[in-house]
Amino acid sequence: MPRLFTGLEIPADIAQRLSLLRGGIAGARWIDAENFHVTLRFIGDIDDRTADEVADALARVRRREFDLEFSGLDSFGTAKPHSIVARIASSRALTELQAEQERILQRIGLPPEGRKYTPHVTLARLRNTPHRDVAAYLTLRGGLLAAAFHVTRFVLFSSKASTGGGPYLIEQSYPLAEYSEARS
């Protein structure tokens, strides 16, 4: 049974820059740079027949290429911090791509995603890290400086059932339509 999700790859140069943020916080399990991604839709553990249906259905997505940029560092988990993330700035193109995938996956019978979509790259997963340590880390490194990047495709990833963080394998890629130099 594969565990699947759709996402956007992070270019190697930007992943390298994000990996420089490692360290300085106890209880963090840092994600390897080659596993950085922006999740679009978590699908979960499904049977092979459904996985084939998902792969075929996603080929119906028709969107244009777009640019994304980061908006800063943050943590997830209000009562108990569980991860350090690089947030993605608001993007209409990203929101529309994610929403189209959500509609397609529901049409083939998958349950709706229960959480509000918050685009980000997970940098570290936390275990028993006090709020004050997370706040100190974010204060020191919160001025995230990473270039915008151009998105030319989305991918269907698979992962092994584990505690998270990879390794992730690309099962299928789906190119986005090119746009003109005027970027209209």
Side-chain angles (χ1 to χ4, degrees):
M1 227 190 245
R3 173 172 286 181
L4 299 177
F5 64 95
T6 62
L8 305 175
E9 301 155 290
I10 302 299
D13 59 326
I14 294 174
Q16 177 63 30
R17 178 173 260 166
L18 291 173
S19 73
L20 296 175
L21 298 167
R22 298 171 73 105
I25 188 165
R29 188 171 48 82
W30 296 94
I31 306 299
D32 292 331
E34 62 269 12
N35 289 314
F36 288 158
H37 64 276
V38 178
T39 299
L40 293 168
R41 175 56 154 83
F42 181 73
I43 298 165
D45 297 315
I46 56 176
D47 60 65
D48 290 334
R49 192 181 121 270
T50 305
D52 289 340
E53 254 185 280
V54 165
D56 290 344
L58 289 171
R60 293 193 295 259
V61 171
R62 296 288 178 258
R63 295 284 163 185
R64 293 210 172 281
E65 296 176 354
F66 56 95
D67 293 322
L68 282 182
E69 58 186 282
F70 293 94
S71 62
L73 294 181
D74 203 351
S75 66
F76 284 169
T78 51
K80 180 179 173 187
H82 58 76
S83 55
I84 300 289
V85 301
R87 284 198 180 258
I88 301 292
S90 178
S91 162
R92 181 176 176 176
L94 176 62
T95 300
E96 289 174 354
L97 175 62
Q98 190 279 331
E100 183 173 1
Q101 289 185 16
E102 181 65 39
R103 285 188 300 275
I104 286 171
L105 295 173
Q106 285 184 39
R107 269 190 229 124
I108 64 171
L110 294 176
E113 173 60 60
R115 297 172 289 186
K116 178 182 179 279
Y117 183 63
T118 305
H120 66 278
V121 175
T122 301
L123 303 178
R125 301 196 190 285
L126 305 175
R127 175 179 275 172
N128 300 322
T129 305
H131 281 282
R132 70 181 174 283
D133 292 356
V134 173
Y137 174 87
L138 293 174
T139 299
L140 285 173
R141 294 184 173 82
L144 175 65
L145 297 174
F149 61 99
H150 191 64
V151 177
T152 61
R153 71 181 192 169
F154 70 91
V155 298
L156 180 62
F157 285 106
S158 67
S159 68
K160 300 232 184 294
S162 68
T163 55
Y168 303 122
L169 301 172
I170 295 174
E171 298 294 336
Q172 184 94 27
S173 66
Y174 303 89
L176 300 173
E178 291 185 41
Y179 58 80
S180 71
E181 282 301 310
R183 298 191 179 201
S184 48

